[in-house]
Amino acid sequence: MTDTTVKLAETTPPSALAALKIGPLPITVYVPAALVCAAAVYSGKLPNDVIGGLSVLMLLGFLLGKLGQTIPLLKRIGGTAIMCLFVPAALVAYGLMPETALKAIATTFRTANFQYFFIACLVAGSILGMPHRVLVQGFLRMFVPLLVGTLGAIAIGIAVGLLFGHSPKETFFFVIIPIIGGGLAEGVLPLSIAYSEMLHRPQAELVAQMVPAALLGNVVAIVAAGLLARLAEKRRDLDGQGMLVKTGDDDILGPARSDHPIDLGLLGAGIVLSCGLFVLGMVLAPTTGIPGPILMIIAAVTLKLTKLLPAEMELGAYQINKFMSTNLTFGILVAMGTLLVSWQQLVASFNPGYIAICTATVLAMVASGFFVGQWLNMYPVEAAIVTACHSGLGGTGDVAILGAADRMGLMAFAQIATRVGGAIMIVIATLAMKVAF
């Protein structure tokens, strides 16, 4: 081989197909892995345990997530969550999900309680991984717009619900709270567990009732953010060009957390810490009457505010959170769609009244941020966009909403609105349900 041939081989770019990735896997790895899994499924040889279940969930989740991120328009309205939830639910409803795969998914998600492990790592890490100054200063700065926006969203949402014949309790607990509860994995999922324990209703029924609200709310928030960005182009007096406060001191918050090299030891510490907080919640639940996942949130916030944990332990919780959210979120959404979402009930939920409630709830939140932010010397467009993130699907929703407005620099404030605001709403809803029902 000549030197020229070697140089050409080194500089020739790989083909577009070879460079394609499905999730973290190159397509040259994904396709063989999917074929092996499919052969095991259709031959009845797929292990009915966590190994078999995770194989199906992760491979299907990566594929549906990729489609949701690629399909035009769909990728702008939370397409990954829509594909990962709706497609498996439809497959089950029409009898297209193989029984072998269904059993392995059920064993992983229900029997092995993998959903609890995922929730523990995700919730604990998202709270403990947030820098203390961001948690405290950011929430103090956004407290008034978030509070007014939340109260306005609840009031308007209930009022619209009454117009369409929905009771205030039904609208509040099953439409409004799922919208402002922090997303699916960190909002609807733990909320459905808490509701199920308190109402003695199947978790699957509750998830199917709440998922449409969370998805619709995210879509409305994305559209509203895009319209706000267009308004900013016409009204420069309302536009901070990505800066929230007119005093120009937003840099005190900085990024949510700078990237650190992955520490394998800290990953182990993060798992132990996350599981320990979840176990603490389960131990205290019978005594307090508050569901374990909610007590875990309270414990994590308390640890963060009191600074009792060493910084490296918080970093460990953050890193295991990033690992779980990066690799398993799509798979968990597929499991939810397969086992917890009723396709028939999902389709029935998309009626004019339901859509009107979701739309009014989010627009009330956005309008409150716009006008209250202006009163508090914030740029109205940026304040409204941040409060819109309170209606988003967790971190994915924040990215979609801020991306639609080209305001990614507001991510630290968006995390306050989504993570902390969502956690607080879940706790409040759970405590209120003990009184209301």
Side-chain angles (χ1 to χ4, degrees):
M1 183 180 291
T2 65
D3 291 342
T4 303
T5 305
V6 172
K7 289 179 180 179
L8 284 174
E10 290 176 349
T11 57
T12 300
S15 67
L17 181 62
L20 178 64
K21 284 190 173 184
I22 309 296
L25 300 176
I27 194 167
T28 52
V29 175
Y30 179 89
V31 171
L35 290 175
V36 169
C37 186
V41 168
Y42 287 103
S43 66
K45 301 297 184 183
L46 184 75
N48 185 20
D49 54 22
V50 173
I51 294 175
L54 283 182
S55 297
V56 174
L57 290 174
M58 294 184 73
L59 287 169
L60 186 55
F62 288 150
L63 176 61
L64 294 176
K66 179 68 173 181
L67 292 174
Q69 294 168 342
T70 305
I71 298 174
L73 182 61
L74 193 63
K75 65 182 180 180
R76 304 289 292 177
I77 59 173
T80 54
I82 292 173
M83 293 295 292
C84 289
L85 284 166
F86 286 16
V87 172
L91 291 175
V92 172
Y94 296 113
L96 300 176
M97 177 71 73
E99 187 66 24
T100 305
L102 195 58
K103 287 181 178 178
I105 292 172
T107 298
T108 302
F109 195 72
R110 286 178 170 158
T111 307
N113 273 336
F114 197 81
Q115 61 170 324
Y116 287 86
F117 178 59
F118 178 78
I119 291 170
C121 293
L122 213 62
V123 173
S126 66
I127 294 173
L128 295 176
M130 187 177 292
H132 186 272
R133 71 183 188 281
V134 174
L135 181 66
V136 176
Q137 297 179 20
F139 188 68
L140 288 177
R141 182 163 299 177
M142 285 304 303
F143 176 75
V144 176
L146 280 177
L147 176 61
V148 174
T150 301
L151 294 176
I154 292 171
I156 297 298
I158 289 176
V160 174
L162 288 172
L163 291 177
F164 285 92
H166 295 270
S167 70
K169 287 197 295 187
E170 178 188 356
T171 301
F172 176 75
F173 289 106
F174 299 106
V175 182
I176 297 174
I177 292 300
I179 292 175
I180 60 178
L184 295 175
E186 294 176 278
V188 170
L189 188 53
L191 199 62
S192 67
I193 296 172
Y195 281 7
S196 180
E197 292 179 6
M198 300 174 71
L199 299 177
H200 306 291
R201 288 173 56 186
Q203 185 187 0
E205 177 185 317
L206 294 165
V207 168
Q209 190 173 354
M210 292 188 287
V211 159
L215 293 174
L216 277 173
N218 190 68
V219 171
V220 176
I222 292 169
V223 174
L227 293 175
L228 284 166
R230 305 295 83 77
L231 173 64
E233 294 173 358
K234 299 179 182 298
R235 291 285 306 276
R236 292 298 182 185
D237 57 313
L238 305 175
D239 178 20
Q241 298 183 348
M243 184 169 291
L244 182 64
V245 184
K246 293 183 178 180
T247 54
D249 61 352
D250 282 351
D251 60 327
I252 62 171
L253 295 183
R257 179 184 283 275
S258 58
D259 289 332
H260 292 266
I262 294 296
D263 187 314
L264 298 180
L266 288 183
L267 284 178
I271 291 175
V272 172
L273 186 58
S274 300
C275 293
L277 287 172
F278 190 89
V279 171
L280 175 65
M282 300 306 290
V283 169
L284 295 177
T287 304
T288 60
I290 301 173
I294 307 306
L295 288 172
M296 179 188 65
I297 294 173
I298 297 173
V301 172
T302 302
L303 283 176
K304 188 66 187 180
L305 292 177
T306 55
K307 297 184 179 181
L308 292 176
L309 282 177
E312 62 267 21
M313 293 297 98
E314 293 183 352
L315 178 59
Y318 171 77
Q319 289 191 347
I320 194 61
N321 165 279
K322 295 298 291 182
F323 172 82
M324 298 293 284
S325 61
T326 300
N327 295 292
L328 291 169
T329 296
F330 293 162
I332 291 295
L333 291 178
V334 169
M336 291 175 64
T338 303
L339 302 174
L340 301 180
V341 176
S342 165
W343 177 254
Q344 292 78 8
Q345 188 173 354
L346 193 63
V347 172
S349 296
F350 288 99
N351 56 73
Y354 198 89
I355 294 173
I357 297 170
C358 295
T359 302
T361 298
V362 176
L363 292 183
M365 179 77 66
V366 173
S368 298
F370 186 91
F371 292 108
V372 174
Q374 190 171 25
W375 177 60
L376 291 175
N377 202 38
M378 296 178 178
Y379 289 102
V381 167
E382 276 69 20
I385 291 170
V386 170
T387 53
C389 290
H390 195 20
S391 311
L393 290 175
T396 302
D398 288 345
V399 171
I401 293 167
L402 297 181
D406 193 22
R407 297 292 195 282
M408 296 303 291
L410 295 173
M411 183 57 74
F413 292 102
Q415 291 289 294
I416 293 292
T418 304
R419 306 295 187 187
V420 181
I424 289 174
M425 291 313 303
I426 292 175
V427 173
I428 291 174
T430 307
L431 296 177
M433 180 165 280
K434 293 175 65 66
V435 178
F437 288 89

